[in-house]
Amino acid sequence: MQLETPRLLMREFVESDWPAVLAYQRDPRYLRYYPWYDRTEADARAFVGRFLEWQEEMPRRRFQLALALKSDNTLIGNCGIRRKCGNEWEADLGYELSSQHWGNGYATEAAAALVAFGYRQLGLERISSWCIADNSASSRVLERLGFRQEGRLRRNEFFKGRWWDTLLYALLRDEWENDAANPDR
C-alpha cells in the first residue's frame, strides 16, 4: 500500500528502515512522552518487524506506513490506522515524527491522508486516537483534523517515575464528510 500527499510518500515499511527509525527514536525530545529512556538497534528492528508482520495479515486490519519526504526520500516518521479488534467499523489512529521535522504540518498531512483512507477504502464509521495530555502538539494535530476530545483519563499511564493523564479523541464519518474545511472529503 502507498499513499501520497503534497509533500510525503506514505509507504509500507521495509526491513532496512530500522536505522532511520532508530535515529529519530533515540532523540530525547521524541522519548519525552514514551516509557522508554533509550532505544537500541534491537528495539528499532523489532518495531519495524511488527509492521512487516502486519502487512501479511489476511484480512489486513492494521496499516502502519513509513513517512518519507518526497523531496529526498528521507524517512521522517510513521503514521497508522488500525481497526479495532472485533469490529469492522472503528479504528484508531497514531503517528510519530522525527523531532527535526516537528512544526511543519507533516503529522497533520499524513494523518489526514489516513483518515480519508479509513473512511473511503475501509468503510469506517469512527476513528479514535489518544495522546498524553501534556503533549499539546499531538492534541493540536487531532483538533486540526476535526477530532473532538471525548474525555480525559486521569493518571492512567505510569512511566518515567510519574503518572500521566491521557486525552481521548474521535472523529465520526459524518463529521468528516460535513467539515467544510476538509479538502479530502
Side-chain angles (χ1 to χ4, degrees), residues 116-184:
F117 170 77
Y119 287 127
R120 287 186 184 135
Q121 275 74 38
L122 299 180
L124 299 173
E125 180 61 27
R126 172 187 166 86
I127 300 173
S128 61
S129 191
W130 68 272
C131 65
I132 298 293
D134 292 7
N135 190 347
S136 58
S138 190
S139 292
R140 282 193 304 274
V141 167
L142 294 169
E143 290 165 4
R144 275 189 219 109
L145 294 172
F147 280 69
R148 296 184 188 177
Q149 186 178 329
E150 294 188 329
R152 181 183 191 111
L153 298 177
R154 298 176 304 147
R155 295 184 179 177
N156 73 310
E157 292 283 331
F158 186 84
F159 58 89
K160 296 189 176 159
R162 68 166 277 201
W163 286 101
W164 301 80
D165 292 0
T166 57
L167 301 178
L168 306 176
Y169 285 88
L171 178 65
L172 305 179
R173 172 189 283 281
D174 59 342
E175 293 168 342
W176 178 76
E177 289 173 340
N178 296 325
D179 184 357
N182 175 8
D184 292 321

Side-chain angles (χ1 to χ4, degrees), residues 101-118:
H101 297 281
W102 290 352
N104 295 306
Y106 293 126
T108 304
E109 190 173 318
L114 274 182
V115 167
F117 170 77

Side-chain angles (χ1 to χ4, degrees), residues 16 32 37 48 63-64 74 90 97 118 132 175 178 183-184:
S16 60
R32 181 175 181 195
Y37 287 95
V48 170
F63 301 83
Q64 198 76 27
T74 300
E90 184 176 10
L97 214 58
I132 298 293
E175 293 168 342
N178 296 325
D184 292 321

Side-chain angles (χ1 to χ4, degrees), residues 10 16 20 28 38 48-49 56-58 62 64 79 83 96-98 110 132 149 155 160 171 181 185:
M10 301 172 65
S16 60
D38 192 17
V48 170
E56 302 303 317
E57 291 178 331
M58 290 294 171
R62 299 173 287 190
Q64 198 76 27
C79 189
R83 280 193 171 142
E96 63 182 31
L97 214 58
S98 163
I132 298 293
Q149 186 178 329
R155 295 184 179 177
K160 296 189 176 159
L171 178 65
R185 64 181 184 336

Side-chain angles (χ1 to χ4, degrees), residues 33-44:
Y33 298 117
Y34 288 95
W36 316 302
Y37 287 95
D38 192 17
R39 300 292 276 163
T40 65
E41 177 181 332
D43 295 330

